[in-house]
Amino acid sequence: MHSTVRGPSLGGCRMWTYDDSRAAVRDALRLAEGMTYKSAVAGLPLGGGKGVIMLRPGTTLDARARKAAFLDFGETVDRLGGTYVTAEDVGTGPKDMSVIAQATRHVTGLSRRRGGSGDPSPYTALGVLHAIEATCERAFGSPALEGRSIAVVGLGHVGLPLARRLAKAGAKLVVADIDRAKREEAARLGARWMTPAKAMTAAVDLVAPCALGGVLHHDSVPELQAPAVAGAANNQLADESVAELLQRRGIVWAPDFVANAGGIINIAVELEPAGYDPRRAEARTREIGDTLRRIFDDAERAGTTPLAAATALAHERLRPARPSRRRAAR
Ligand code: NAD
């Protein structure tokens, strides 16, 4: 994609099982496109990228093979000379980033001890909190969370800190996870525990999908009782037509790549010449609320969905700058 973006393409390194290499390449391209939109809408001077380390079905790597795979990956990243900067993603963590860092300096998400920005998840959770406030404002006329009933589906690295922040803000929580061990967290939060299927269709004010993608589709949306959806999970819509279905049902949906940009915003601060500063990362992440308000306004004005408005905003920011008249005349 041609764009005005001057910085490198940033996106995680995913280690995942694929049936064949074509499926892995397709996934990498789809995810890289999503990262491009995410960075553009967040106003970051970065392109989008993604690295995929493909595992064959049924394979697990022992510690030595895993290290070798990440060293290979790091060497590949290094050959790209800084046009792609990698980070952690599904199936990889800060330890793997430290191995990659032995082969290249074009890696982010290193631990705070090693001068990096550490785990991005708390920033993703903070950004989703602001997206939830903006979504509540659109759906109910007020961003206040006190007394709002909210279902958080998936209590992982993002869902759990998000649920803690929501509880602190006075929301009435329903929480769900396929891992029943997380039930103890529910008790600590004073939240009601439900199965994921029940939580998705619970009679709450807002559902926050924080586990898998593809949870909003033509069978699940008619079952939703919540008038608002805003969460961290990537690719929540099974396909783009689901955005129209949500709109027809009067459900306010916060586009996932807008709501969950806090992690990438935090990593982008690590790449700034001044170096990493958690206060700058937090301030930028809080801006997600206003970005989303603008997207809801744009959608209303144009009579489209928030997905269409967010995608249009990304394209606007990616459009090559027109040459100025003076330059064009030369
Ligand atoms: P995670 O693996 O730490 O947590 C996911 C949680 O969901 C786990 O507790 C898991 O048991 C649970 N889960 C899995 N399948 C489920 C199901 N069907 N129903 C209910 N719960 C289920 O992942 P995470 O880092 O918290 O990320 C959550 C989502 O947010 C993912 O879609 C991820 O791509 C997206 N995301 C994360 C970040 C980040 O900074 N971590 C940034 C952007 C987007």
Side-chain angles (χ1 to χ4, degrees):
M1 191 178 278
H2 296 292
S3 80
T4 50
V5 170
R6 295 233 172 75
S9 292
L10 178 64
C13 164
R14 174 167 294 203
M15 185 179 249
W16 201 244
T17 304
Y18 297 93
D19 288 334
D20 56 52
S21 52
R22 267 198 310 188
V25 169
R26 246 195 331 264
D27 203 28
L29 290 173
R30 181 181 66 86
L31 292 163
E33 186 184 54
M35 291 302 296
T36 307
Y37 288 148
K38 191 182 295 199
S39 289
V41 169
L44 302 175
L46 300 168
K50 208 73 171 187
V52 164
I53 300 180
M54 175 188 162
L55 297 177
R56 297 246 172 235
T59 10
T60 45
L61 301 183
D62 62 22
R64 244 175 85 172
R66 190 176 174 99
K67 186 171 178 197
F70 284 105
L71 279 174
D72 269 0
F73 184 82
E75 282 165 17
T76 308
V77 170
D78 202 57
R79 276 198 289 277
L80 297 172
T83 51
Y84 167 62
V85 177
T86 198
E88 43 178 290
D89 200 274
V90 177
T92 63
K95 227 167 127 187
D96 304 315
M97 296 308 112
S98 306
V99 176
I100 292 174
Q102 291 171 32
T104 183
R105 61 190 172 87
H106 305 301
V107 54
T108 59
L110 296 176
S111 65
R112 294 295 302 277
R113 200 163 35 86
R114 298 201 52 183
S117 58
D119 178 11
S121 310
Y123 289 87
T124 305
L126 176 67
V128 175
L129 179 84
H130 285 275
I132 286 176
E133 285 177 344
T135 305
C136 284
E137 191 176 301
R138 187 62 38 160
F140 312 113
S142 163
L145 298 176
E146 176 89 48
R148 279 265 164 256
S149 55
I150 298 181
V152 179
V153 185
L155 281 186
H157 285 90
V158 181
L160 186 55
L162 172 66
R164 287 191 185 122
R165 283 183 180 275
L166 291 169
K168 208 168 153 202
K172 286 186 281 181
L173 287 185
V174 165
V175 295
D177 200 292
I178 47 164
D179 179 358
R180 290 180 60 82
K182 301 278 168 82
R183 215 177 162 140
E184 283 174 26
E185 295 291 355
R188 272 196 279 273
L189 288 162
R192 204 168 146 210
W193 176 263
M194 280 189 193
T195 62
K198 285 228 168 90
M200 278 302 291
T201 55
V204 289
D205 291 323
L206 182 140
V207 173
C210 292
L212 304 181
V215 288
L216 299 172
H217 47 77
H218 284 265
D219 294 326
S220 66
V221 170
E223 303 292 319
L224 293 181
Q225 293 199 66
V229 179
N234 272 317
N235 306 318
Q236 288 167 27
L237 306 186
D239 64 66
E240 289 180 12
S241 69
V242 179
E244 280 147 34
L245 179 59
L246 285 159
Q247 180 114 320
R248 278 201 300 279
R249 282 217 53 211
I251 297 171
V252 182
W253 177 68
D256 40 32
F257 60 91
V258 182
N260 69 16
I264 193 94
I265 291 171
N266 181 54
I267 291 176
V269 170
E270 189 180 330
L271 294 175
E272 288 176 1
Y276 183 64
D277 175 357
R279 279 164 309 184
R280 238 185 307 132
E282 195 174 316
R284 302 247 170 92
T285 299
R286 289 185 188 281
E287 290 169 12
I288 286 176
D290 283 340
T291 304
L292 194 55
R293 286 181 180 93
R294 175 195 166 165
I295 286 165
F296 286 144
D297 285 345
D298 287 354
E300 200 171 309
R301 253 194 313 273
T304 58
T305 63
L307 175 65
T311 309
L313 177 60
H315 280 283
E316 186 186 310
R317 292 186 172 162
L318 290 166
R319 203 181 303 140
R322 288 225 177 97
S324 72
R325 283 199 179 158
R326 203 181 304 157
R327 269 170 60 205
R330 263 193 235 147

